[in-house]
Amino acid sequence: MSKKKSFARALLSLGMLLAIAPLALAETAYKPEYRLSTNVNNAFPLGRGAEEWARLVKERTQGRINVKWYPGSSLVGGETTREFTALRQGSIDFNVSSVINWAPHVKQLNLFLLPFLVPDDKAFDSLVGGRVGKELFGIVEQQGVVPLAWGENGAREISNSKREIRKPEDLKGLKFRVVGSPIFNDIYTALGANPTQMTFADAQPALQSGAVDGQENPISLFVGAKMGALNQKYLTRWNYVNDPLVFAVSAKTWESWTPADREIVRQAAIDAAKFEIADTRKGLSQTDDALIKQVIAGGTQVTVLTPAEQQAFAAATRPVIDKWAAAIGPELVKKAEADVAESRRK
């Protein structure tokens, strides 16, 4: 064999090795386990959505991306608001979380916590599926987190152990457990209540003992956590906040995968989020009120506000929107209000 042919073959072999090397590297760089964190288990739609996402990713990547699910925010010591930081650092890989728990880190996400901004499912879908949802995902991505799909925790309703709530004055003096974002302190203070921030795990014994009188959460969570047995005898459907979820991956983890696997994970998130939203809305409509019937069967009185009654609460909490619009971004708030108004005209 001539020296020229030998040299040409050597170059060809080297070229093949160089072409294969990145793929081999990508394969060997994959971790044996990727950690998915959520604050609740599969007794709740959020948990079932996360479980579905983990299943789809493992199945569609043929086990290359093996997702292990850790509920109860156990990877962050039960402190759900720490999940976002852990995701940025790469100490957790996947997260399905309410924007409530991310809002302390990304101030623009407080948009969804503005009281009585999102009146119904149609308005919710318009916001997360339109320009506002896209803009917020862009902001989150700048923080080292890759958001892939919007889910839904549901409209947050109010319950307590003392009395029926129909008007703002009914909250005066009541002690309410609220979640970590300070906007909730402002909302309940504006209504004359005494808000106390605590984790969901701490809230349950506090409600049982009477250390706090009430709480606010989606009805699916009320049922899943059996809150009727925690002295919650009165529940009011006032739809004051509709709580989006985000299906997301750490940017550090995302960048370690091949482009093909990234798209598999993205589509799996979209599919799992659709599954989760349908699960969240089940049993809460006029044609299917099975979840409401479960609340009533548990001994809790359910009150549904009229539009006029709801408007009284919206008026009482309007100063909270005016205060928080500056931090969130006035233009973003205006876009959201315009898109909600447009959705109601359709």
Side-chain angles (χ1 to χ4, degrees):
M1 185 185 295
S2 70
K3 286 185 180 180
K4 282 187 179 179
K5 284 185 178 178
S6 296
F7 183 66
R9 284 192 176 182
L11 280 178
L12 182 63
S13 299
L14 180 61
M16 289 173 67
L17 281 171
L18 288 172
I20 293 167
L23 294 173
L25 225 90
E27 287 294 327
T28 56
Y30 281 29
K31 297 189 288 190
E33 174 188 300
Y34 291 89
R35 305 199 296 176
L36 164 61
S37 180
T38 64
N39 67 326
V40 296
N41 59 27
N42 59 7
F44 310 94
L46 186 159
R48 293 191 288 270
E51 191 173 43
E52 176 71 359
W53 190 21
R55 184 188 71 78
L56 290 174
V57 169
K58 184 175 181 179
E59 179 183 281
R60 293 176 183 179
T61 61
Q62 299 177 321
R64 287 189 303 280
I65 300 177
N66 177 36
V67 184
K68 185 172 179 182
W69 175 37
Y70 293 83
S73 299
S74 57
L75 298 174
V76 288
E79 294 288 341
T80 306
T81 54
R82 290 172 52 199
E83 285 178 331
F84 188 79
T85 300
L87 201 59
R88 290 179 66 185
Q89 294 170 342
S91 56
I92 62 175
D93 304 292
F94 291 74
N95 187 212
V96 181
S97 182
S98 161
V99 298
I100 289 172
N101 300 313
W102 284 14
H105 309 280
V106 185
K107 63 183 181 180
Q108 292 89 345
L109 291 176
N110 283 290
L111 173 77
F112 287 106
L113 312 184
L114 294 176
F116 303 99
L117 171 69
V118 186
D120 51 35
D121 292 345
K122 197 174 179 182
F124 177 90
D125 293 342
S126 174
L127 283 185
V128 300
R131 57 179 179 170
V132 169
K134 194 173 292 185
E135 184 173 335
L136 287 169
F137 267 14
I139 292 167
V140 169
E141 196 151 6
Q142 291 169 9
Q143 302 289 319
V145 170
V146 182
L148 300 175
W150 290 103
E152 183 185 2
N153 221 12
R156 299 181 77 87
E157 315 294 16
I158 189 171
S159 70
N160 78 100
S161 61
K162 300 295 186 184
R163 53 182 174 264
E164 181 185 26
I165 292 173
R166 294 205 81 105
K167 54 188 183 299
E169 296 77 29
D170 294 333
L171 275 78
K172 287 191 186 300
L174 293 182
K175 294 173 289 185
F176 280 92
R177 174 267 173 175
V178 296
V179 290
S181 178
I183 193 171
F184 286 92
N185 278 341
D186 289 347
I187 293 169
Y188 282 83
T189 300
L191 294 169
N194 297 320
T196 301
Q197 292 182 346
M198 60 178 69
T199 66
F200 182 65
D202 290 338
Q204 295 176 72
L207 291 166
Q208 181 72 67
S209 67
V212 293
D213 301 312
Q215 61 85 50
E216 53 78 51
N217 261 305
I219 290 178
S220 60
L221 194 143
F222 186 98
V223 171
K226 298 180 172 59
M227 286 188 172
L230 300 177
N231 295 321
Q232 298 304 283
K233 301 305 179 188
Y234 303 93
L235 183 145
T236 295
R237 296 194 71 183
W238 63 341
N239 299 348
Y240 85 121
V241 168
N242 198 320
D243 182 9
L245 306 177
V246 183
F247 287 65
V249 174
S250 167
K252 291 182 179 180
T253 302
W254 181 258
E255 289 159 9
S256 73
W257 296 329
T258 63
D261 279 344
R262 290 176 197 165
E263 288 314 303
I264 289 173
V265 173
R266 185 191 301 279
Q267 189 58 53
I270 292 167
D271 294 343
K274 286 179 182 175
F275 164 87
E276 188 279 330
I277 290 172
D279 194 8
T280 291
R281 295 179 181 179
K282 196 185 304 178
L284 292 172
S285 68
Q286 291 181 339
T287 55
D288 174 18
D289 62 351
L291 215 54
I292 301 300
K293 286 176 179 172
Q294 283 189 55
V295 174
I296 296 168
T300 299
Q301 176 182 319
V302 176
T303 300
V304 180
L305 297 186
T306 66
E309 287 171 330
Q310 191 181 46
Q311 183 54 40
F313 284 96
T317 55
R318 182 67 209 189
V320 178
I321 294 181
D322 296 337
K323 173 186 173 180
W324 278 83
I328 294 165
E331 289 306 312
L332 184 59
V333 174
K334 284 179 185 174
K335 280 182 197 173
E337 290 179 326
D339 289 355
V340 167
E342 179 62 25
S343 76
R344 305 196 83 176
R345 285 193 290 269
K346 289 179 180 176

